[in-house]
Amino acid sequence: MSHLSVAKFGGTSVANFDAMTACANIVTADPNTRVVVLSASAGVTNFLVELANGCETARREEILSAVRTIQYNIIDKLQHPEAVSNEIDALLAHITALAESASLATSAALTDELICHGEMMSTKIFTQLLKERDFPAVWVDVRDVVATNNHYGKAAPNDEKTQAQSDAVIKPLIDDGKVVITQGFIGRDDEGKTTTLGRGGSDYSAALLAEVLNANDVLIWTDVPGIYTTDPRVVPAAQRIDTMSFNEAAEMATFGAKVLHPATLLPAVRSNIPVYVGSSKAPEQGGTWVTRDPQPRPTFRALALRRNQILLTLSSLSMLHAQGFLANVFGILAKHKISVDVITTSEVSVAITLDKTGSASSGADMLSEALLDELRQYCNVKVETDLALVAIIGNNLDSQAGIAKQLFTTFAPYNVRLISYGASKNNVCTLVQNSEADDVIRALHLALFE
């Protein structure tokens, strides 16, 4: 097989007819792109999550109308809208029925079944758009390929089963000269129920398919031409990074950079598949390649920001010279499926920030009273919100003299709530007030990159 690329287009890239047309131009111009993974049109998934959480009849009808409008604004501009409208109407009817069920009782499985419809609709429409150009596009239900466990909202793939199903479903189509159009973000468990890989999981889907297809690269087409030293909306002087390592990109993604989903890189790293990030609106502007060992490797590579963090401080005198305290705490957190993010400790207390990823999760429902009550049996519990995590991403940060002085000098005017330094050679993490986060990022960028 010749060079094979898996391309992924995000929600803003398929938000309307013009955006979809730009994506179609990229796909048809690149003979190496043989598999295309799409997100839902921008805004649709948020609407579907709201429906899945249950809402009153008036709001439900308002949302259903909005979702229909988003899709039909694209369909009505096709040459042959009738070729796809019946399928979209059937999906909209199914959304309506599921939303009515959710208004009576919600569940994680129902949420996943409902919110997958955004990707189903965008891929149906995009396939028709390509067919109208006499392009050999074929629609594939990714649930027939990506097998997962039943951890609804943040399912984990079954790699062996996914490989076997990819060999059976996708490879014959590619060998036949077809270009496969499929969905990101979703899969199917052993009982045949729809699952999702967590918000942003479309990137993961693309990398996963690239791995099982032994692809040469993954092309992530988004609304920005590459990965920048920080968010250009916060720092206009941010610079595009031409090449960076998997480790650096994973750190950036983990700590809030929205260009790549954290899990995206797992299959790519495993199989050493380069990942490209470019703009679907301006492909000619170039982008960023993420590879195993790019050169050069500067001390400071980028800054990432993750807002609205939860800080749990757990304190107890029984921690002093005691054994098993942390094991108990982490056992409770694991039981409630809570992912610990950043951690610092003292003799009698431990402070942890919590990771709030999942299809429909919010910080509020994460800290249930049951969880807090169990923790209070072992220690005093203090919950702080309205914080932001600032991560300095780079190389060998744990072994270079002078770095601490540079950072602490910049932090001097701000109230820094937590620092994690030395655990990783690729990042230094700090927790600051939400209200000061942008100022901290601007000050760090000025000191380290300008």
Short mmCIF file of all heavy atoms in Angstrom, two decimals, residues 12 37 69 151 185 243 270-271 293 303 322 368 375 392 397 399 420 425:
data_model
loop_
_atom_site.label_atom_id
_atom_site.label_comp_id
_atom_site.label_asym_id
_atom_site.label_seq_id
_atom_site.Cartn_x
_atom_site.Cartn_y
_atom_site.Cartn_z
N THR A 12 -15.47 22.94 14.28
CA THR A 12 -15.51 24.21 13.55
C THR A 12 -15.22 24.01 12.06
O THR A 12 -15.67 24.81 11.24
CB THR A 12 -14.51 25.22 14.14
OG1 THR A 12 -13.20 24.63 14.16
CG2 THR A 12 -14.89 25.63 15.55
N VAL A 37 -11.94 11.27 9.45
CA VAL A 37 -12.68 11.19 10.71
C VAL A 37 -13.25 12.58 11.01
O VAL A 37 -12.52 13.56 10.99
CB VAL A 37 -11.74 10.76 11.86
CG1 VAL A 37 -12.47 10.79 13.20
CG2 VAL A 37 -11.18 9.36 11.59
N THR A 69 -31.61 23.10 12.45
CA THR A 69 -31.21 24.26 11.65
C THR A 69 -29.75 24.20 11.26
O THR A 69 -29.38 24.47 10.10
CB THR A 69 -31.49 25.56 12.44
OG1 THR A 69 -32.89 25.66 12.70
CG2 THR A 69 -31.03 26.79 11.67
N HIS A 151 -17.36 1.75 29.96
CA HIS A 151 -17.21 2.94 30.82
C HIS A 151 -17.77 4.14 30.05
O HIS A 151 -17.04 4.91 29.44
CB HIS A 151 -15.74 3.16 31.19
CG HIS A 151 -15.52 4.26 32.18
ND1 HIS A 151 -14.29 4.56 32.68
CD2 HIS A 151 -16.38 5.14 32.76
CE1 HIS A 151 -14.38 5.57 33.52
NE2 HIS A 151 -15.64 5.94 33.58
N PHE A 185 -14.79 9.95 18.15
CA PHE A 185 -15.41 10.12 19.46
C PHE A 185 -16.25 8.94 19.95
O PHE A 185 -16.49 8.80 21.13
CB PHE A 185 -16.26 11.41 19.39
CG PHE A 185 -17.07 11.80 20.58
CD1 PHE A 185 -16.48 11.98 21.82
CD2 PHE A 185 -18.43 12.04 20.47
CE1 PHE A 185 -17.23 12.39 22.91
CE2 PHE A 185 -19.19 12.45 21.55
CZ PHE A 185 -18.59 12.62 22.77
N THR A 243 8.02 22.17 14.83
CA THR A 243 8.08 20.75 15.20
C THR A 243 8.18 20.65 16.72
O THR A 243 8.79 21.50 17.36
CB THR A 243 9.30 20.03 14.58
OG1 THR A 243 10.50 20.65 15.06
CG2 THR A 243 9.26 20.07 13.07
N ARG A 270 2.85 4.93 20.49
CA ARG A 270 3.08 3.47 20.45
C ARG A 270 3.63 3.03 19.12
O ARG A 270 4.51 2.18 19.03
CB ARG A 270 1.75 2.73 20.70
CG ARG A 270 1.38 2.51 22.13
CD ARG A 270 0.30 1.45 22.25
NE ARG A 270 -0.88 1.71 21.44
CZ ARG A 270 -2.11 1.90 21.92
NH1 ARG A 270 -2.31 1.91 23.22
NH2 ARG A 270 -3.12 2.09 21.12
N SER A 271 3.07 3.60 18.04
CA SER A 271 3.44 3.15 16.70
C SER A 271 4.30 4.16 15.95
O SER A 271 4.52 4.01 14.74
CB SER A 271 2.17 2.84 15.90
OG SER A 271 1.44 1.82 16.53
N ASP A 293 11.33 12.57 17.85
CA ASP A 293 12.57 13.23 18.27
C ASP A 293 12.90 14.42 17.36
O ASP A 293 13.83 14.37 16.57
CB ASP A 293 13.73 12.23 18.26
CG ASP A 293 15.01 12.82 18.85
OD1 ASP A 293 14.89 13.73 19.71
OD2 ASP A 293 16.11 12.39 18.45
N LEU A 303 3.45 27.27 26.88
CA LEU A 303 2.67 27.45 28.11
C LEU A 303 1.26 26.95 27.87
O LEU A 303 0.68 27.21 26.81
CB LEU A 303 2.61 28.93 28.50
CG LEU A 303 3.94 29.66 28.69
CD1 LEU A 303 3.70 31.16 28.83
CD2 LEU A 303 4.69 29.11 29.89
N ALA A 322 3.03 7.99 59.44
CA ALA A 322 2.10 6.86 59.38
C ALA A 322 2.17 6.19 58.01
O ALA A 322 2.64 6.77 57.04
CB ALA A 322 0.68 7.34 59.65
N SER A 368 -19.09 14.25 44.82
CA SER A 368 -20.36 13.87 45.44
C SER A 368 -20.22 13.89 46.97
O SER A 368 -19.11 13.78 47.51
CB SER A 368 -20.76 12.47 44.97
OG SER A 368 -19.83 11.52 45.46
N LEU A 375 -13.99 10.47 52.50
CA LEU A 375 -12.69 11.10 52.77
C LEU A 375 -12.63 11.66 54.18
O LEU A 375 -11.60 11.58 54.86
CB LEU A 375 -12.43 12.21 51.75
CG LEU A 375 -12.13 11.78 50.31
CD1 LEU A 375 -12.09 12.98 49.38
CD2 LEU A 375 -10.79 11.02 50.24
N ILE A 392 4.18 25.11 32.53
CA ILE A 392 5.33 25.52 31.70
C ILE A 392 5.89 24.24 31.08
O ILE A 392 6.32 23.33 31.80
CB ILE A 392 6.40 26.24 32.54
CG1 ILE A 392 5.82 27.52 33.16
CG2 ILE A 392 7.62 26.56 31.70
CD1 ILE A 392 5.40 27.38 34.59
N LEU A 397 13.63 20.28 32.36
CA LEU A 397 13.37 21.34 33.32
C LEU A 397 13.78 20.95 34.73
O LEU A 397 13.94 21.81 35.60
CB LEU A 397 11.87 21.70 33.30
CG LEU A 397 11.33 22.28 31.99
CD1 LEU A 397 9.83 22.51 32.08
CD2 LEU A 397 12.04 23.58 31.63
N SER A 399 16.60 19.48 35.55
CA SER A 399 18.05 19.32 35.74
C SER A 399 18.87 20.52 35.29
O SER A 399 20.07 20.41 35.14
CB SER A 399 18.52 18.06 34.99
OG SER A 399 18.21 18.17 33.60
N SER A 420 4.12 22.26 41.40
CA SER A 420 4.64 20.90 41.23
C SER A 420 5.86 20.98 40.33
O SER A 420 5.75 21.24 39.13
CB SER A 420 3.57 19.99 40.61
OG SER A 420 4.10 18.70 40.39
N LYS A 425 10.46 16.03 33.76
CA LYS A 425 11.47 16.88 33.10
C LYS A 425 10.84 17.74 32.02
O LYS A 425 11.50 18.60 31.45
CB LYS A 425 12.57 16.00 32.50
CG LYS A 425 12.13 15.09 31.36
CD LYS A 425 13.31 14.27 30.87
CE LYS A 425 12.90 13.36 29.70
NZ LYS A 425 14.05 12.57 29.20
#
